[in-house]
Every structure is written in C-alpha cells, then in structure tokens.
C-alpha cells in the first residue's frame, strides 16, 4: 500500500499541473459541500441542509479553476480568487465558502515569494476580504463567518511562509553539504597531487644521484679493464654498492605507497644531515673531490628540514658530478645563522656543460619546490670565474614544529 502511495506521489510531482488540477477539484468539492450546510437554524445554532445559490456555484467553480494555474501565475491567481471571494462576501446570501480558494492561493504566494511580499499581499487580502464581508455583506459585522475569513486568510499566509522557510533551510543544508563534499574532494585531490610531487622528487633525487655514480664508475671500469684490472674491480665494487644503495632507497620511497595493513612497511628513517659524511663518501669514491665545512653544532632540525637539506646537497653534488667536468672540486658548507640553517654547495667546474640549468632535468626545480614548501629560499646560478653555486636558506623551526611545540 505504501509503495502505491509513493509511486502516486512521484507521478504527481513529475506532473505539477495534474497535481494542481487534483487540488483544485478537491477544493471545489469542499466548497460545494460546505455550501449545503446552514450553521444558523430557526432555533439558534443548529445545522441543517440548504440549497446553494447558483451565483455561489459559479463563483466557486471560477475560484477552483483559477487554482489549476496557481504555480504558473500565483499572484494573478490570488487576484482572481480574491475577487470572486469578495463578490461572494458582498452578494452571497446564504454565503458559500468561496474564500477557501483565496486562502489556498494566498498560501501558494507565501510559499513561493519572500517574507516582505507575503506580509504585504497577506495584509491586503485579509483587509479586502474581511472589510467586504463586514461592511458590504448581509451578515452583521461581528458575525462568526466574517471573523473566520480574517482567521483563515491569516492562517494561509502564515502556513505558506513557514513552508517557504523550511524549504530555504533544507536547501541551505543541502548546499552546505554539497559544498563540503566538493571541498573534501578538492582537498583530497590536492593532497594526492602534493604526495605524488613529493614522491617524484624523492625518486628523482635517489635515481639521479646513484645512476650518476654508477655511470662514472662504470666508465672508469671500462677504461682500465685491460691495463689495471684491480682498479676496474674496485670501480665495479663501487658500482655494486651504489646500485645496492639506490635499490634500498627506492624500496623505502616506494614503500610509502603501501596501505596501512600491508606487510613489510619501511622502518628506516628518512636520510638527513647525520648521513652527510656517508653521502659525501659516495661522491669521493666516484672521483669527485669534495670538502665539507659545518658550523651547525648542536642544531636539531625538524625531519622535513633535515631531509630537504640532505636532498639539496645530494642533488647539487650530483649536478657537479654530471656537469662540472672530470677535474671539478666541490665545497659543501652547513652553517647555522640565527633562526635559519644555510646550505651552500660550490664547484669550480670548467666543463662545457657546467650549468645544470641547461641540462633540461628537474633537479633544480625539485630543490626549489622542497625549499619553498618549507618557507625557505633557494638561489642558484653560475659563479664569477667559472663554476656553479647553490645556496639554500631553511628555517630551523617550521610552522608545524612550532605549533606542535606550543601545544
């Protein structure tokens, strides 16, 4: 039974004109039925059957027909139903409930317009119909029928305004929910994009560094294979070590993509300046002369800053290895300056491809993105007299670390 009612309601909502026609027929039936009732009998307040006036039947029919178009032209329908109701109030004897059509029309106007308009049209309708009934009707001005017109028109306007307010609240809740859903989706997409970019930077740093070392050592091994096999074996050992390190770092980086329930999640901490000597040692073993100067004693960096400093040095030395030439030397300095730590990597390369900005890679872009994400600054460019300079300024305390510390 409930399923049948639900299907009927859906069909009526899909055809609003049919719904209004059904409503108009129901209102007409109620008005005609009410017109046969006489509340005033010969012996006081009694109920009896009476014959409605033909003019009242015509006015009721006109009012009901107007309600068929109440959604398309609510104010026009209110004017028509108000007119026929006022005519009935003046000339109807006995009076028929034609004002019911005006009440429904007033409800429709109040439900489809704003509150000020509802107040104006509601007061106008109440005043006109009640005034016509009290001043021009056949009944005394204090008759219950006159007061009933006043009450029912007020109820119609109030009910319509309540329906409109409820619809507005429901619509506002729906819009807030949709906006919140869009915001969640946009935030999720932004976080996914940031994570993809971060993983891409890590993969680039790891692969570029170790592949550059493997390339250099493989070239050395090929060059001395015939004349100095011992040196070739040593170079191949470095190749093996570099490739093993690359695989370990790649495994740790890609392991971040695992789900929380996946086994063998990476437990090795992210690299930082504590592994700087190990990093420099891999370049020295590849034939690059690197000098390190540190003046950051006792400084504990947040994990994000520590990783960014390590990656900046790694990428800068990788660029020196790739672009600065065979006889290049590099200098690395890590200095604590006030609230910042400054990373500087210099080289005296004189190769034709000394400028890594012309290499078409993403190393410098990745460094800049890392530093900028931490609200630091990065400057890169050729040095006067030859070589290249990378200078990064990173805050010792990030906003996240500061917030966490103050909590």
């Amino acid at each position: 039974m409930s399923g049948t009612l639900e299907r009927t309601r859906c069909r009526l909502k899909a055809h609003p004109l049919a719904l209004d026609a059904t409503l108009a027929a129901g209102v007409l039936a109620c008005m005609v039925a009410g017109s046969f009732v006489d509340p005033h009998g010969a012996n006081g307040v009694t109920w009896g059957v009476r014959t409605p006036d033909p003019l009242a039947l015509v006015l009721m029919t006109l009012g009901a027909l107007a309600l068929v178009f109440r959604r398309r032209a609510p104010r026009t329908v209110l004017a028509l139903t108000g007119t026929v109701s006022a005519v009935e109030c003046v000339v109807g004897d006995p009076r028929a409930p034609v004002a019911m059509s005006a009440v429904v029309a007033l409800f429709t106007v109040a439900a489809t317009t704003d509150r000020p308009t509802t107040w104006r049209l509601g007061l106008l309708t109440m005043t006109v119909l009640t005034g016509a009934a009290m001043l021009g009707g056949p009944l005394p001005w204090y008759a219950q029928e006159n007061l009933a017109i006043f009450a029912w028109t007020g109820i119609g306007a109030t009910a319509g305004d309540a329906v409109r307010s409820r619809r507005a609240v429901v619509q506002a809740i729906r819009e807030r929910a949709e906006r919140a859903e869009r915001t969640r989706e946009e935030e999720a997409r932004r976080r996914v994009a940031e994570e993809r970019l971060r993983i891409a930077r890590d993969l680039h740093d790891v692969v570029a560094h170790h592949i550059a070392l493997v390339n250099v050592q493989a070239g050395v091994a090929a060059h001395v294979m015939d004349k100095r096999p011992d040196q070739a074996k040593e170079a191949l050992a470095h190749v093996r070590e570099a490739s093993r390190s690359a695989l370990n770092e790649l495994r740790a980086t890609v392991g971040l993509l695992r789900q929380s329930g996946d086994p063998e999640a990476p437990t090795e901490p992210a690299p930082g300046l504590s592994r700087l000597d190990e990093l420099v040692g891999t370049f020295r073993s590849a034939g690059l002369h690197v000098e390190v100067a540190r003046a950051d004693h006792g400084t504990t960096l947040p994990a994000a800053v520590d990783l960014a400093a390590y990656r900046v040095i790694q990428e800068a030395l990788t660029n020196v290895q790739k672009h600065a030439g065979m006889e290049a030397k590099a200098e690395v300095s890590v200095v604590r300056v006030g609230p910042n730590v400054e990373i500087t990597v210099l080289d005296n390369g004189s190769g034709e491809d000394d400028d890594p900005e012309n290499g078409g890679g993403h190393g410098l872009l990745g460094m800049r993105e890392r530093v900028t994400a931490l609200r630091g600054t990065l400057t890169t460019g050729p040095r006067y007299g030859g070589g290249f300079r990378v200078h990064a300024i990173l805050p010792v305390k990030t906003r996240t670390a500061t917030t966490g510390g103050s909590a």
Side-chain angles (χ1 to χ4, degrees), residues 3-270:
T4 303
L5 292 176
E6 183 66 21
R7 287 193 296 271
T8 303
R9 187 175 66 86
C10 292
R11 291 195 188 98
L12 290 176
K13 279 190 173 183
H15 302 83
L17 187 61
L19 178 61
D20 291 338
T22 303
L23 176 64
V27 171
L28 178 61
C30 291
M31 289 191 296
V32 171
S35 66
F36 280 92
V37 178
D38 183 10
H40 300 283
N43 300 321
V45 182
T46 58
W47 294 86
V49 178
R50 63 177 180 176
T51 302
D53 187 71
L55 178 61
L57 292 175
V58 173
L59 295 177
M60 287 187 287
T61 304
L62 291 177
L65 287 176
L67 292 179
V68 177
F69 307 98
R70 68 187 185 95
R71 295 178 192 261
R72 297 185 178 182
R75 299 190 185 188
T76 302
V77 171
L78 176 61
L80 292 175
T81 56
T83 300
V84 297
S85 299
V87 171
E88 171 63 19
C89 289
V90 173
V91 302
D93 187 21
R95 183 179 298 170
V98 182
M100 183 182 296
S101 60
V103 171
V104 175
L106 182 57
F107 169 87
T108 303
V109 171
T112 55
T113 187
D114 52 35
R115 182 161 294 171
T117 303
T118 300
W119 275 96
R120 290 195 300 270
L121 295 181
L123 289 175
L124 178 62
T125 304
M126 294 167 61
T127 302
V128 170
L129 295 185
T130 306
M134 289 183 174
L135 301 178
L139 299 176
W141 68 270
Y142 52 84
Q144 294 182 358
E145 287 84 349
N146 298 338
L147 299 179
I149 292 176
F150 179 84
W152 279 108
T153 51
I155 291 173
T158 304
D161 183 72
V163 170
R164 180 197 56 77
S165 299
R166 181 179 179 278
R167 288 174 181 171
V169 170
V170 171
Q171 182 64 24
I173 293 174
R174 184 181 294 112
E175 290 178 356
R176 283 198 299 269
E178 293 176 353
R179 186 164 55 251
E181 183 66 23
R182 288 195 300 269
T183 302
R184 284 194 295 268
E185 293 176 356
E186 292 172 358
E187 178 67 14
R189 286 195 295 267
R190 184 186 67 80
R191 294 196 176 197
V192 168
E194 289 180 353
E195 185 65 13
R196 290 171 58 188
L197 181 60
R198 187 191 65 78
I199 293 174
R201 286 198 301 262
D202 285 341
L203 291 175
H204 173 272
D205 293 342
V206 172
V207 173
H209 164 58
H210 291 289
I211 294 302
L213 295 181
V214 168
N215 181 61
V216 171
Q217 296 295 342
V220 172
H223 182 68
V224 300
M225 178 68 72
D226 295 332
K227 297 181 179 180
R228 286 176 287 180
D230 293 339
Q231 187 175 351
K233 289 181 180 179
E234 182 181 353
L236 291 176
H238 289 310
V239 169
R240 184 172 59 253
E241 182 64 26
S243 61
R244 183 184 297 112
S245 299
L247 288 175
N248 290 336
E249 291 201 38
L250 284 174
R251 187 178 297 110
T253 302
V254 177
L256 297 175
L257 300 177
R258 293 178 182 269
Q259 300 296 326
S260 59
D262 291 345
E264 298 180 1
T267 58
E268 182 180 356

Side-chain angles (χ1 to χ4, degrees), residues 207-220 242 279-290 313-332 345-351 353-356 388 390:
V207 173
H209 164 58
H210 291 289
I211 294 302
L213 295 181
V214 168
N215 181 61
V216 171
Q217 296 295 342
V220 172
L279 174 66
V280 172
T282 60
F283 285 99
R284 287 172 178 166
S285 64
L288 178 64
H289 181 74
V290 183
I313 296 174
Q314 183 186 50
E315 179 61 30
L317 292 179
T318 301
N319 287 336
V320 175
Q321 184 78 50
K322 291 166 59 178
H323 302 288
M326 297 298 295
E327 303 299 327
K329 297 181 180 180
E331 300 176 4
V332 178
V345 180
L346 307 175
D347 71 77
N348 62 346
S350 57
D353 193 18
D354 186 34
D355 188 353
F388 200 79
V390 174

